[in-house]
Amino acid sequence: MFLEVSTVPFKASAAQHHYIPGQRHRVTNSAADDAALRQRGSLTVWFKDAAITAWKAEPRTTPGGQPHYSALAITTALTLRAMFRLTLRQTEGLIGSILALLGLNLAVPDHATLSRRAETLALPPPQPGSSPVHLLVDSTGLKLCGSGEWLPEKHGTRTRRSWRKLHIGVDADTGRIGAATLSTSDVDDASQVSALLDQAGPLASFTADGAYDQDGVYGKVAKHS
C-alpha cells in the first residue's frame, strides 16, 4: 500500500491573489479637523426663563404633603442621568454643580426624591416626527427566565426554555427605536410589519432582511407611505 503525502505549501496560490492596498487619506485641513473634534466634546447648558420659573412645583390643592420640585425639574435631572449614565447621587451632584455654575438660586433634588418621583413620573410618549424616516426593521429572540432558573444550573437538569420574539423598528438617522412589538417564537417576522408601521411616522425607506421579502410586506409599506 502506497501513501502519497502532498508537499504543496498551504499558500501555494498566494501569488495569484489580488492585493488591495490600504486607503491613504491625507488630512489637508488639520486645524479645522482638530476644531471639529474638540467641538464634539463641548458642553453648553442653559436654562430658559420659563424653566427657571417652573422649577418649583405648584402648590397642591388636595390633601397630602406639598411637593418641592415640579415634573420639569425631575425630568431634567433624570434626562441628564440617562445621558451621562450616572447614579442618582452623581446626578444630584451634577445638577448642583450646573446650577452653581449658572448662578441660579434653585433647589437641587436629592437622590431619594429622584428615586421616588421616577416611579410615578408621567412622561409623554415619543411622537413620530413630521419628516420621513429611514426605518430599519429586524427581530431578536428573548429567553424567559424565572426564579427557578438556578435549579437546573445547579443540579444539571434540563428544562424546556421559553422564548419570545422582539420586533423593532429603528430610525437609521437617530438610532431611536420608533416601533416595537413582542410575539411568540413561532410568529413570522413579516406578520408584525403592520403593527410596526402603525407606530411609525411617514417613511422615506423601509429596510429589512430576506425574511421580509414578501409581496404582503411590499403592499403594507406602499399603503402606509
Side-chain angles (χ1 to χ4, degrees), residues 69-103:
Y69 309 99
S70 64
L72 174 65
I74 302 299
T75 303
T76 301
L78 295 178
T79 301
L80 291 174
R81 180 199 181 195
M83 289 177 58
F84 297 102
R85 301 180 181 181
L86 304 175
T87 63
L88 290 175
R89 286 179 172 82
Q90 292 173 342
T91 303
E92 178 183 352
L94 177 61
I95 291 293
S97 63
I98 291 176
L99 296 179
L101 290 173
L102 296 178

Side-chain angles (χ1 to χ4, degrees), residues 33-62:
D33 186 64
D34 290 344
L37 293 176
R38 290 193 300 269
Q39 182 64 27
R40 293 182 184 180
S42 177
L43 177 63
T44 303
V45 180
W46 70 92
F47 278 52
K48 294 183 178 180
D49 294 337
I52 298 175
T53 304
W55 189 264
K56 188 177 181 180
E58 295 290 337
R60 177 182 294 175
T61 57
T62 57

Side-chain angles (χ1 to χ4, degrees), residues 8 10 14 34 37 57 98 100 105 113 119 125 131 134 141 163 183 185 195 199 210 217:
V8 180
F10 178 73
D34 290 344
L37 293 176
I98 291 176
N105 187 19
T113 300
E119 297 179 356
S131 58
H134 298 274
W163 294 86
S183 67
S185 58
Q199 305 175 38
V217 175

Side-chain angles (χ1 to χ4, degrees), residues 137-155:
V137 175
D138 204 353
S139 65
T140 183
L142 301 177
K143 188 184 76 168
L144 300 182
C145 298
S147 58
E149 286 290 325
W150 69 275
L151 290 175
E153 181 178 354
K154 179 179 179 180
H155 299 287

